[in-house]
Amino acid sequence: MARRPIRPIRLRGLRVDYPRRGRSNWRRWVPSWRQALSGILLGSGALAGLFAVVYASVDIPDENAEARRQGTVYYWADGSQMVSVGAVDRQNVTLADIPDSVEHAVIAAENETFYSDSGVSAKGIARAAVSMVKGDETQGGSTITQQYVKNTYLSQEQSATRKFKEFFISLKLSNKQNKKEILQGYLNTSWFGRGAYGIQAAAHAYYGVPAKDLDPSQAALLASLLKGAEQYDPAGGKGNHERAVDRWKWILDRQVEIGAMTKDERAAYQKFPEPRPAAKPTSLGGQTGYLVDIANKYIKKRSGLTDKDLFRGGYRVHTTFDKARVGQLERAVRSVRKRDLDPKKRPEDKYVEVGAASVRSDGAVVAVYGGADAVTHFANNADTAGVPVGSAFKPFVLAAALQHGDGITLDSGYDSEGRLIKDGPYAAPGGAGAGPGQVMVTPPTPLRDALVKSSNATFVLLGKGIGLKKVKELAVSAGLHEESLARLDKSFPLGTSTPSAVRMADAYTAFSNDGMRADPYSVTRVTRDGEVVEGFGKPELRRAMDASVANDVHNTLGMVAWTRLGRDGKSAMFAGPKAADDLSAGATGEDDRMKSAWFIGHSKGLTTAVTMFRSKPGTPQLLGMQGVGGPDSGRGNVFPPRIWSAYVTGT
């Protein structure tokens, strides 16, 4: 059968000379240069059209959830960082807060053409694609823009599809954002190891400083971590340390090569900047968890933010907490416990809990002791209502009497018949040994002495006489939460109410501040993404009682302090140049039958409440204090004053 001749290709009136006429054998199948050029142009046009279609169809997605998450950072009163809380340790900063040396080191290490390229590296993507096709280890080859896109908009999976998306999103992002914005985003989303996302968290994790304080040598070390923190963190072993040193040197040298650093500047950095030892992940252990708990409660109350909002992170919380004072208070509690309590020898010393809070006259909460460890003991003993306050409540009864009682003074008192004597000795009619028709009765104990001696009988009568409602109103005016106050029965003046240590310390500030007091506050400023969260102005001082009433109670509490502190405590308080210029205290006494011991002292501008009680984990009931610390402890009443004295003297 004869073979049919091969005819040239025809396209609707267009004759394409292919296979080529006038050529024989294989030459017929070799395109002419015109045909080859036409094919290249046609193919390029098709690819360009396809590229345009894909470019138009790929949108920049929303940031992935992980990229938006940051730690919420809490700061001490002096501005230093206390803790970063959140699933991701990240704190976004602007380029203005990042030294040029960090920018130069990162660009030299990762993408020296960053400011001139289109945001993508075709060569790098091709190399990565070939590697994936061959089944080899996935290659990087990404620009800073591509890495930022991967961190912010895509998952971390290694696949051709993700690389494809990364390429087009990077191109689009480069046309939408300027290079400074991209670099800032990259530095805030990159992983540096040690739980740190972003340059700010990394600066704290490796050198204990904010990013703005990094020097060029430290910046080079942090830039080396971008290649893989698990391989370049010097704390990861000898091999890691050697790799880190080599790459640190290379990055510094590389900056000289690209003109970001002079040789003389490079010569100044010959010693490897050893980072601080790797610490365990940020913890809320010790007192930190209690401090954060108090701050969060205040934030939610003042701003309307919810737990969900705070969990989202990104907030910067500036607190009133004094780092030195918090440490001093914790040491005071531990030293007294170690010296005076022995749970191994005395069963009565088991399950002893301590709570304490120190407040300034303007309401600022300076320090708290919430328990041994916030990780293992969840309840915050400093801010938990539930512990009867006992005789430490009596100053409010006295203040209510002085405020509302007609003619009642510190010299007033009750006679043996329960009658109020306002002006000193009282002569009852009838009886021998007196004037005509009178018998002299033993003078009553003045109210000031009754407070010093913590006389229950006197304050039961005083509360009944002035009216328990008046006492309650004054206590609330001084700052105690109404819901923490007990029912109004005859035991109410004896301290059956259960306010927190924070509230007791704050309420007592009215006595030392001419009757003025402010609500306790623990946060001075909150920001997120540079914007101030409203609601954190300093609370205003309000009058809780007349100045004369406050001063009378304060002076009487000074006498209480002398009787409760004991010789050692008093000599410590008034010795040397640190002598207190003002001292007062309220406390529980021997007559109290409550299951707690309290001491609230004022000295050197701070009012501090210390409470001690026994509580078995998992049970709401308080255990008895009898025998705590031995038979001479007075139901544990001696220990809160000792803790307070150790705290204010630093011993």
Side-chain angles (χ1 to χ4, degrees), residues 394-591:
K394 290 174 181 174
F396 301 112
V397 183
L398 177 58
L402 297 175
Q403 181 79 27
H404 301 290
D406 184 19
I408 294 179
T409 69
L410 292 176
D411 293 321
S412 302
Y414 289 88
D415 66 12
S416 57
E417 300 297 322
R419 290 170 294 193
L420 179 64
I421 311 301
K422 294 183 178 180
D423 298 315
Y426 175 76
Q438 291 196 346
V439 172
M440 293 304 297
V441 178
T442 302
T445 301
L447 293 180
R448 68 162 59 83
D449 293 344
L451 183 63
V452 173
K453 295 176 181 178
S454 192
S455 172
N456 285 347
T458 296
F459 280 90
V460 169
L461 291 171
L462 190 60
K464 180 180 179 181
I466 197 65
L468 298 180
K469 187 176 180 181
K470 292 288 186 183
V471 176
K472 178 180 178 180
E473 288 173 353
L474 187 135
V476 171
S477 180
L480 300 187
H481 282 311
E482 186 170 354
E483 57 268 26
S484 72
L485 299 180
R487 63 181 181 180
L488 302 183
D489 58 21
K490 67 178 182 179
S491 64
F492 180 72
L494 304 182
T496 51
S497 299
T498 58
S500 68
V502 170
R503 282 286 165 175
M504 280 298 287
D506 179 68
Y508 262 61
T509 63
F511 299 133
S512 58
N513 197 34
D514 294 327
M516 304 295 290
R517 46 87 45 188
D519 287 334
Y521 68 101
S522 55
V523 176
T524 58
R525 188 166 180 263
V526 178
T527 62
R528 193 172 196 277
D529 295 333
E531 295 185 4
V532 175
V533 178
E534 299 296 331
F536 296 97
K538 193 174 182 179
E540 293 183 2
L541 286 171
R542 297 194 301 272
R543 181 160 296 284
M545 63 194 77
D546 291 344
S548 60
V549 171
N551 292 331
D552 281 347
V553 176
H554 178 66
N555 292 334
T556 307
L557 289 174
M559 298 170 63
V560 175
W562 280 94
T563 62
R564 293 293 189 273
L565 285 175
R567 180 179 300 174
D568 293 340
K570 286 181 290 189
S571 61
M573 284 301 304
F574 289 92
K578 293 184 179 180
D581 55 3
D582 191 15
L583 178 66
S584 63
T588 47
E590 295 295 332
D591 290 339

Side-chain angles (χ1 to χ4, degrees), residues 289-428:
Y290 303 123
L291 299 173
V292 169
D293 173 65
I294 289 175
N296 284 350
K297 286 180 180 177
Y298 187 75
I299 290 170
K300 288 184 285 187
K301 177 183 177 182
R302 297 286 296 189
S303 68
L305 293 174
T306 65
D307 286 324
K308 183 178 180 180
D309 295 325
L310 294 173
F311 179 78
R312 185 177 51 159
Y315 294 94
R316 296 189 176 193
V317 180
H318 297 265
T319 74
T320 59
F321 305 129
D322 185 309
K323 184 177 182 179
R325 291 282 185 183
V326 171
Q328 200 165 311
L329 184 55
E330 183 175 28
R331 288 191 295 272
V333 174
R334 290 184 176 181
S335 65
V336 171
R337 290 187 68 117
K338 182 178 180 180
R339 183 185 64 194
D340 297 325
L341 302 181
D342 192 346
K344 294 181 179 180
K345 291 184 178 180
R346 281 190 299 269
E348 296 85 356
D349 291 357
K350 291 183 178 179
Y351 311 123
V352 171
E353 295 289 342
V354 176
S358 196
V359 180
R360 282 200 316 254
S361 59
D362 67 349
V365 181
V366 173
V368 300
Y369 178 87
D373 191 331
V375 172
T376 57
H377 177 75
F378 303 117
N380 188 341
N381 296 342
D383 197 35
T384 299
V387 181
V389 73
S391 291
F393 186 77
K394 290 174 181 174
F396 301 112
V397 183
L398 177 58
L402 297 175
Q403 181 79 27
H404 301 290
D406 184 19
I408 294 179
T409 69
L410 292 176
D411 293 321
S412 302
Y414 289 88
D415 66 12
S416 57
E417 300 297 322
R419 290 170 294 193
L420 179 64
I421 311 301
K422 294 183 178 180
D423 298 315
Y426 175 76

